[in-house]
Amino acid sequence: MDEDLRIGNLFGGDAAGGLFDVPRGEPGVVGDADIVVMGAATATPYASVGAYCANGPTAIRGAVGWPGMGEHHDFDLGGTLLDGATAVDWGDLPISDTEFPANRELIESHIRTVLDGGAVPILLGGDDSIPIPTLAAYDNHGPVTVLQLDAHIDWRDEVQGERFGLSSNMRRASEMPWVKHIVQVGARGSGSARPADVADAIGWGVDLFPMRSIRQGGMQQVLDAIPDDANVYLALDIDALDPSVVPGVIGPAPGGFDYGTVSDLFEAVASKARLVGFNLAEFAPSADVGNRGALVAARLAATVMGLIARQRT
Ligand SMILES: [Mn+2]
């Protein structure tokens, strides 16, 4: 890709601030922010593959952004990005390559600080182990409905002896008393789940909408599964999108969503429920093509940020 052929160069180069040029802020200081952005390279990587999404936050922040971007009209949101709300970017948490319990504590404590400060967290990953410590921070901020978009259901109890890895996030979430409801959308192909894992998810009470059921029954059934005024935590594994849209993932599965379908779903969810948190996981820049997936990931983050902002103003 021609590094000079960037829209930001029309407007003065890359943003000096954080994601979408929102101000950078001191980690741990919420202030009057409505939204706090942070990045995490991983929480609990598997030994077999390591932290393959470690560069995700940097790539997503770099995908789109220019000085003063927040003053421009965003046609996906029908106004400026934040519509009068305020956001701050704490940068990337100091994640360790080896100390995984410490990583989880670090993520959980920073998310808890955001919630206790009355703001809504946006966490850029990082592999899909990041929702586990993130959701743990909602113990005094529930009840929570988790809306997970993913090609995989992530209901393994353990993989290679690790219980906090990316294939276990929804099972760990189901064990948190404040997680009252889980809606999972987009499963397709074959991943870590075995038949018993699927049975456990359904037995727990997950509203499970594999991609086949979305094609046959549409998206309204997903919206109907989310109670009015629920506190919705959005857990987005970017492999929910089609590999032609986001090539940079470790588990590509044909038949995924396009950008607009996911963006419209988020807008519809925000019209009936409160968005209380968002994480974007599994974007692997090393497997991206021409920054195509990074841009899609960033734009979905912008959509969610704008929707949260509109619930705050
Ligand atoms: Mn996945």
Side-chain angles (χ1 to χ4, degrees), residues 150-152 186-191 210-212 239-243 252-257:
D150 197 325
H152 317 94
R188 58 193 192 273
S190 187
M211 206 54 159
R212 285 179 69 228
D239 71 23
L241 283 94
D242 194 76
F257 291 113

Side-chain angles (χ1 to χ4, degrees), residues 263-291:
S263 184
D264 289 349
L265 173 64
F266 288 166
E267 182 181 350
V269 170
S271 73
K272 69 176 293 185
R274 236 177 339 273
L275 303 180
V276 298
F278 172 59
N279 74 253
L280 195 165
E282 288 294 316
F283 176 61
S286 63
D288 201 9
V289 176
N291 292 335

Side-chain angles (χ1 to χ4, degrees), residues 9-309:
N9 289 339
L10 283 172
F11 312 121
D14 290 336
L19 182 69
F20 314 129
D21 202 37
V22 305
R24 292 187 181 276
E26 180 77 18
V29 179
V30 177
D32 64 355
D34 296 293
I35 297 165
V36 175
V37 178
M38 66 191 97
T42 184
T44 315
Y46 291 132
S48 55
V49 288
Y52 55 86
C53 295
N55 296 324
T58 299
I60 294 166
R61 285 197 188 84
V64 61
W66 55 79
M69 177 181 172
E71 296 156 23
H72 291 207
H73 188 88
D74 187 318
F75 284 89
D76 290 0
L77 292 162
T80 60
L81 177 67
L82 293 175
D83 194 34
T86 56
V88 66
D89 188 339
W90 285 354
D92 294 341
L93 301 177
I95 293 291
S96 165
D97 294 334
T98 53
E99 305 301 319
F100 307 146
N103 287 344
R104 295 194 292 270
E105 174 54 32
L106 185 73
I107 294 170
E108 181 180 335
S109 65
H110 281 75
I111 297 293
R112 182 172 281 114
T113 297
V114 174
L115 297 172
D116 288 347
V120 178
I122 291 180
L123 179 61
L124 306 175
D127 61 72
D128 216 358
S129 61
I130 60 171
I132 297 173
T134 305
L135 283 165
Y138 285 76
D139 52 355
N140 293 319
H141 296 277
V144 173
T145 292
V146 176
L147 174 58
Q148 183 229 30
L149 272 69
D150 197 325
H152 317 94
I153 65 167
D154 300 340
W155 264 79
R156 284 287 292 266
D157 187 48
E158 56 80 32
V159 172
Q160 298 155 8
E162 178 55 71
R163 300 182 73 245
F164 294 93
L166 62 98
S167 295
S168 301
N169 56 52
M170 288 299 111
R171 187 185 286 270
R172 293 290 89 79
S174 77
E175 296 164 349
M176 301 177 189
W178 49 95
V179 174
K180 298 294 187 197
H181 187 192
I182 302 178
V183 181
Q184 300 195 235
V185 180
R188 58 193 192 273
S190 187
S192 62
R194 290 129 352 153
D197 301 312
V198 181
D200 285 351
I202 293 170
W204 183 85
V206 166
D207 281 313
L208 186 59
F209 299 100
M211 206 54 159
R212 285 179 69 228
S213 74
I214 299 295
R215 283 199 301 270
Q216 291 164 5
M219 201 64 99
Q220 185 60 44
Q221 56 190 331
V222 175
L223 293 168
D224 291 343
I226 296 170
D228 291 335
D229 299 321
N231 296 315
V232 173
Y233 180 91
L234 289 176
L236 173 62
D237 179 329
I238 202 70
D239 71 23
L241 283 94
D242 194 76
S244 64
V245 177
V246 180
V249 296
I250 197 171
F257 291 113
D258 61 15
Y259 167 81
T261 301
V262 176
S263 184
D264 289 349
L265 173 64
F266 288 166
E267 182 181 350
V269 170
S271 73
K272 69 176 293 185
R274 236 177 339 273
L275 303 180
V276 298
F278 172 59
N279 74 253
L280 195 165
E282 288 294 316
F283 176 61
S286 63
D288 201 9
V289 176
N291 292 335
R292 179 195 302 170
L295 179 59
V296 172
R299 280 302 323 177
L300 287 173
T303 296
V304 175
M305 187 185 273
L307 291 169
I308 294 169

